[in-house]
Amino acid sequence: MAATGATSGVFITFEGGEGGGKSRQSRALARHLRRRGIPVLLTREPGGEPLAIRLRRLLKGNSTLTPEAELLLFAASRAQLTSRIIRPALAEGRVVVCDRYADSTLAYQGYGRGMDTEAIRAANCIAMGGLTPDITVLLDVPTEVGLARKHTDDDRFIREPPPFHKRVRQGYLELSHLEPQRWLVVDALLPEKEVARAVWARVAPLLPKRDRL
Ligand code: TYD
């Protein structure tokens, strides 16, 4: 039940395009775990750590960022969160639930913006320092439906044109095919409770036996 990369906790990430319900589902999973007395850390990217929160504001609002600067700031934010927050929590044996992580950069900057995925993998590798999620849940939603669920446009990623979001979705699906043992792909059009059940069915076997029910 150890997250890959020398820890004793379990590391679960949620991924997907806009409007798939990642935040709700990651909160629901964290609640479910806490109710069972399992120590949890719920966090998100970009953010989750003081410096990373400052980078989040820059990344979401600053349209003068070049694609290269954007990629490196996402990586910087991830490096902070990983070493200051995620690793210590895993070392304490917590279950870490993270709303977006390294696969977001492959999907958005790689497939979405068309940046070199090998370069992105290298940046991720530095930021993650050998850590890999045990499970990554992809909440897959048709692009138009996902975007229609978003009621804000104060985020420059949401304002990207539909073909960008379609590439992101396609990218996620390709990534999930490359590592099927790590990914759980869930149809985000299903009722929330069914999505949560599918997630739990995959997470429970990673927990100590007494915590699985
Ligand atoms: P956020 O408000 O967290 O969006 P969401 O609710 O969709 O998770 O904003 C994060 C935005 O940043 C989101 O549009 C995806 C984008 N993003 C990247 O482009 N690359 C990344 O590596 C990460 C972590 C996020």
Side-chain angles (χ1 to χ4, degrees):
M1 82 139 199
T4 314
T7 52
S8 60
V10 179
F11 185 24
I12 301 160
T13 58
F14 281 81
E15 293 283 357
E18 311 298 325
K22 292 178 307 305
S23 309
R24 293 173 80 88
Q25 287 296 333
S26 43
R27 280 200 303 267
L29 176 62
R31 253 195 327 269
H32 200 72
L33 289 161
R34 280 190 192 116
R35 277 201 208 110
R36 280 159 181 72
I38 301 169
V40 184
L41 172 85
L42 172 64
T43 188
R44 69 169 177 183
E45 272 214 38
E49 190 274 344
L51 178 57
I53 289 168
R54 291 168 69 183
L55 293 174
R56 176 184 177 86
R57 277 185 220 120
L58 261 173
L59 279 161
K60 289 190 63 162
N62 195 317
S63 51
T64 66
L65 280 178
T66 66
E68 293 76 15
E70 178 182 284
L71 164 65
L72 294 170
L73 289 181
F74 274 120
S77 159
R78 181 160 308 129
Q80 284 291 124
L81 180 69
T82 302
S83 68
R84 298 271 190 259
I85 306 289
I86 295 178
R87 275 188 182 280
L90 289 171
E92 285 172 9
R94 285 176 191 271
V95 176
V96 174
V97 179
C98 194
D99 179 355
R100 294 197 181 281
Y101 194 60
D103 297 295
S104 281
T105 316
L106 285 164
Y108 279 76
Q109 281 62 51
Y111 290 87
R113 297 234 189 278
M115 296 186 76
D116 176 26
T117 50
E118 283 315 304
I120 295 173
R121 286 185 190 281
N124 274 346
C125 187
I126 294 171
M128 296 153 78
L131 187 68
T132 310
D134 294 291
I135 299 172
T136 298
V137 179
L138 171 56
L139 296 178
D140 181 52
V141 64
T143 313
E144 319 75 54
V145 179
L147 287 173
R149 283 179 178 176
K150 287 278 178 178
H151 299 298
T152 168
D153 70 347
D154 69 343
D155 175 327
R156 65 195 180 87
F157 291 96
I158 294 175
R159 293 196 300 269
E160 289 288 340
F164 173 91
H165 293 284
K166 287 196 161 60
R167 290 195 297 277
V168 169
R169 181 185 186 200
Q170 199 48 42
Y172 272 126
L173 290 170
E174 277 182 33
L175 291 170
S176 71
H177 290 138
L178 290 176
E179 279 177 276
Q181 70 292 354
R182 172 164 69 92
W183 288 81
L184 168 69
V185 182
V186 186
D187 177 355
L189 295 180
L190 290 170
E192 259 179 65
K193 284 204 167 145
E194 276 186 48
V195 173
R197 257 199 296 276
V199 172
W200 185 248
R202 182 67 183 262
V203 168
L206 289 190
L207 304 171
K209 262 201 179 121
R210 64 186 161 77
D211 294 331
R212 288 185 193 171
L213 294 175

